[in-house]
Every structure is written in C-alpha cells, then in structure tokens.
Amino acid sequence: MITYKEALEEVLRRATPKFAIKKYLIDAVNLVLAEDIVSSENVPFSDNSAMDGFAVRFEDIKGASKEKPAILDLIGEVPAGKSLSGQISAGEAVSIFTGAVIPEGADTVVEIEVTEVKDGKVYVYEEREIGANIRRKGEDLKAGEIVFSKGTLITPSVVGVLASIGKASVKVFKPLTVAIISTGSELIDIGDKMKVGLVRNSNTYLLEAHLKEIPSLKVLNYGVVSDDISSLEEVFEDASMSADLILSTGGVSLGDYDLVKLVLEKLGFKQVFWKVAQKPGKPLAFYEKNGKVAFGLPGNPAAVHICFLEYVRPYLLKSLGYQKWSPIVLKAKLMDSHSKKKGRLNFLRVFLEEKNGEIWARKAGKQGSGVLSTSARSNAIALIPAEREFVEPGEIVEVHYFSNNGW
Ligand code: AMP
Ligand code: MG
C-alpha cells in the first residue's frame, strides 16, 4: 500500500495552474494573480500634505508656543490637486489642504488647529517636528517595486492597491470547476423520510461547504447517485466533460457495489493509486485522464472530511495558482493517549488549545470514520505515524492546521 507522503506527492505532482486569463480589475476579485505586479508609479506620486493647515519652513516655527507664536506672512493657498507656482521663503507660509503638493521651500505642515490667521498673518502656536504632516513621495509604494507577486489572492484591498497604481486589468489563473458526486443506493436527502437501512447524505453538503471556503472555484453538485452502473456512468461522463476535477464519495472499497473505479476506468481514466496506508480514508482512489483528475473519496463522512483537507485542498490550492497550498504544520503535545495498530498513519481530529504557553492537541471526540460530529468539534488534524502503536499523553505530535490566512 502507498503511504500518505507518497500519495500526496502523486496528487501534488498533477496540480499545476493551467490557464492565465486577463480580467478587468473588479472581475479579478477572489482570483489568483498569474503575474508579478510592478508599480510604474510612486504612491504617493509626490510629497503632499496629510492635513489641512499651513506649509512652512521648520526653521521659522521652531520653538513656537502659545506665549511666543511664530508669525508668518500668508502668501497663498494650495488646494488639493494643485501645486503652488513659486516657492516659500523665510518668514512665509502657504495655506494647504489635505492631498495638496508641498510647495518648494516648505518642509513641514502645521495643522490648522494650532494656528490662527489675523490681518494676513499666520500665527503658529505650537512647534512641530521637521517633516511633520507630510506624506512622502513613494512612501506607500515605490516605482519599479514588485507590489504583488504571482500567486497572490486578489482580495478587495489588493484591488484597491491595483487601482492606486493605475492597473485596469490583470492576468489571473482561470477558476476551476469541481464536480461533486455522492454514490450509494442507501442514501436519502435532507427532506426525505428516514427508515431503517437508509443513510442521510451529508457528504455532498460537507464537500460543497469545504469548497466554498476556497475562493475562485465553481461547483457542480450532482447530488446522490445510486449504485447502478448505467446511472453512475451517465453522471460521471457528464461531470468529466463539464468539470476540471471530480470529487466522488463512496463506492471505492472492496464490496460488490463499489462501482466508482469501474466507471472511471470505463470512461478512460487511469488509476494513479488506490488505497493508502492511513486511517481513516484507506480506500482513497486517485485517477487521471488528459490533465483532469478524479478523487474517489471513501463513503464514510469523517474520511471524506480528512481526505478533503489532506489531499483535495492542497491539490486545488496548488492548481489554482496559490503560493501556499499546504496546511500550517505545528508541533503540539497530545493531551490524551492513543493506541493503534502498526502499519497505517492515523489522522486524529483534535482541538488545539494553548495552555501555559504550550500548544496542546485534545482529541475532539470519537475517531471512527463514520463519526462526523468529531470533525465539527475539531480545529486541526494530528498525524500519528504508521509505525507507532501507542502514544502517551504529553508526547509531541505533528499537527495540521488549515488556516485561510495561509494563502
Ligand atoms: P461505501 O464506501 O460506499 O461503502 O460507504 C461507506 C459508508 O459511508 C457507508 O456506511 C455509507 O452509507 C456511508 N456513506 C456513503 N456516502 C455517504 C453520504 N453521501 N453521506 C453520508 N454517508 C455516506
Ligand atoms: Mg457505497
């Protein structure tokens, strides 16, 4: 059986961003940059005032106070968007507004609140440091500087910055379309009446919700399909044509009705691997065909949750062009003991907490692959190596934390 590390490597090897397309700025939000963005302009474009007030020479206002104000000649006004022709000389001040260009000769702005104008003179009642209230040319961004690198998610503030440097359109990676299919004749949906022997479908909801957390994806949710080869073939064929990637659940273990692998093979998909030395999620299957891939996830919801985070999510993030696709890897002390059989890596759903400056991972509940409520109560996954049989409380384990800030 292939190991988790080997399987993940096979998955990631096939995850490469494919097409770059040009998008108008606003339509690029939630997509990923496919180019480095270099600013052709300084932001701000020139030194300008951060306040309404008076542009002065520091020399002239040094030591100014309520009792001993600096008294300067008011020689003009610079509204926002304008600059003064001419310059300020000793003993002079110019009335200036936020955003207006600092006149030549001036090196400091005194805000209006500490001044008074009387008979064409400006009285400055407080001293300011040299350079006070001036936004410097290029202080935010410098011309020629890489502002954002390839792989950056375009958030609303990225859009704002792009606008501020005059970028009307940017190259982004094409969003991916993901098909979700749940297989199983025993499955009923949310509104259906429960009876003995039936199982309510949660996997398609779980997966669609997980996918919603990743910007720049489109989802085609095919819902539930029964274990019948012709129905499965029809749905998988449609999905393989309409989507870049198929996520199916169920039908990949050894039982008579486990038909997903058969159907994928009939449609020309080639098996990359099937079965991984891990618990839960052992029957995970991975297929490819002409650059498209299909994940045959197990049916058990907790295995779906874990396989999604450990395999599908990194595949998607890397394929979408994100710089970071891995979870944040931490070391934490396991609060509980854990015993297991040798041979399979165990994924434990845990809750990370800080105690006396240390990170502890507490088992979030029963770890059975059918117990989805434990997933809902967890915030991370601990990895217990295949060769281990017993882990003592307080032992340090590797933990995967799936933060959206990671991209
Ligand atoms: P399978 O791998 O198809 O044998 O499924 C394994 C277990 O997962 C069975 O108990 C199924 O009933 C359950 N299961 C499969 N699909 C779903 C689903 N969509 N929602 C909830 N449970 C499921
Ligand atoms: Mg099944």
Side-chain angles (χ1 to χ4, degrees), residues 368-379:
S369 61
V371 184
L372 189 57
S373 61
T374 300
S375 298
R377 297 193 176 99
S378 69
N379 64 2

Side-chain angles (χ1 to χ4, degrees), residues 38-45 138 141-145 147 163-166:
V38 176
S39 180
S40 58
E41 293 171 3
N42 284 303
V43 180
F45 195 69
L141 301 168
K142 291 204 172 26
E145 163 186 354
V147 180
S164 80
I165 59 170

Side-chain angles (χ1 to χ4, degrees), residues 243-306:
D244 301 293
L245 171 135
I246 299 176
L247 288 184
S248 68
T249 73
V252 285
S253 46
L254 271 177
D256 285 347
Y257 295 101
D258 292 328
L259 304 170
V260 165
K261 289 173 21 247
L262 202 72
V263 166
L264 283 170
E265 279 156 27
K266 264 188 125 175
L267 291 171
F269 279 82
K270 293 264 172 298
Q271 189 180 101
V272 179
F273 62 78
W274 173 47
K275 287 191 183 167
V276 183
Q278 62 188 14
K279 188 182 176 183
K282 178 176 153 194
L284 177 65
F286 186 57
Y287 281 78
E288 70 174 338
K289 180 189 174 183
N290 304 332
K292 291 192 179 186
V293 303
F295 287 88
L297 303 172
N300 280 308
V304 171
H305 170 75
I306 289 167

Side-chain angles (χ1 to χ4, degrees), residues 38-322:
V38 176
S39 180
S40 58
E41 293 171 3
N42 284 303
V43 180
F45 195 69
S46 50
D47 289 357
N48 68 80
S49 179
M51 296 291 246
D52 292 340
F54 296 91
V56 298
R57 287 158 25 108
F58 170 70
E59 275 303 308
D60 294 340
I61 61 143
K62 214 159 94 182
S65 64
K66 192 84 204 150
E67 298 71 37
K68 230 175 132 268
I71 304 169
L72 307 170
D73 294 330
L74 183 57
I75 62 157
E77 178 183 278
V78 228
K82 295 274 182 333
S83 41
L84 189 79
S85 54
Q87 67 159 45
I88 293 185
S89 309
E92 293 177 343
V94 161
S95 165
I96 196 163
F97 295 87
T98 306
V101 178
I102 304 299
E104 248 177 82
D107 57 15
T108 303
V109 169
V110 180
E111 64 272 26
I112 201 156
E113 289 82 350
V114 295
T115 63
E116 201 176 1
V117 176
K118 282 189 286 196
D119 309 323
K121 302 254 184 222
V122 183
Y123 289 68
V124 177
Y125 295 115
E126 277 180 35
E127 187 183 43
R128 285 291 171 265
E129 281 176 13
I130 187 161
N133 300 316
I134 295 178
R135 301 171 182 149
R136 293 288 169 200
K137 167 182 170 178
E139 145 186 312
D140 185 350
L141 301 168
K142 291 204 172 26
E145 163 186 354
I146 293 184
V147 180
F148 300 115
S149 44
K150 189 171 158 177
T152 301
L153 175 69
I154 302 179
T155 59
S157 44
V158 171
V159 168
V161 172
L162 290 169
S164 80
I165 59 170
K167 271 266 172 200
S169 62
V170 284
K171 263 199 218 158
V172 291
F173 290 114
K174 199 171 157 273
L176 293 179
T177 304
V178 182
I180 303 172
I181 307 165
S182 223
T183 72
S185 299
E186 75 283 21
L187 300 173
I188 55 165
D189 221 315
I190 290 178
D192 298 338
K193 192 163 165 46
M194 201 57 198
K195 276 203 303 220
V196 174
L198 300 181
V199 172
R200 218 180 273 286
N201 162 38
S202 52
N203 286 347
T204 59
Y205 296 94
L206 170 69
L207 284 174
E208 188 166 352
H210 265 308
L211 292 168
K212 252 189 140 168
E213 289 203 331
I214 301 177
S216 74
L217 283 180
K218 285 188 193 137
V219 176
L220 290 176
N221 193 338
Y222 287 88
V224 168
V225 185
S226 59
D227 294 317
D228 155 73
I229 199 116
S230 62
S231 319
L232 286 168
E233 219 178 308
E234 200 179 307
V235 173
F236 272 79
E237 187 167 18
D238 192 295
S240 72
M241 288 187 302
S242 319
D244 301 293
L245 171 135
I246 299 176
L247 288 184
S248 68
T249 73
V252 285
S253 46
L254 271 177
D256 285 347
Y257 295 101
D258 292 328
L259 304 170
V260 165
K261 289 173 21 247
L262 202 72
V263 166
L264 283 170
E265 279 156 27
K266 264 188 125 175
L267 291 171
F269 279 82
K270 293 264 172 298
Q271 189 180 101
V272 179
F273 62 78
W274 173 47
K275 287 191 183 167
V276 183
Q278 62 188 14
K279 188 182 176 183
K282 178 176 153 194
L284 177 65
F286 186 57
Y287 281 78
E288 70 174 338
K289 180 189 174 183
N290 304 332
K292 291 192 179 186
V293 303
F295 287 88
L297 303 172
N300 280 308
V304 171
H305 170 75
I306 289 167
C307 289
F308 180 87
L309 291 175
E310 293 289 348
Y311 296 94
V312 182
R313 184 180 184 272
Y315 175 89
L316 287 171
L317 295 179
K318 187 161 182 262
S319 304
L320 287 164
Y322 287 92

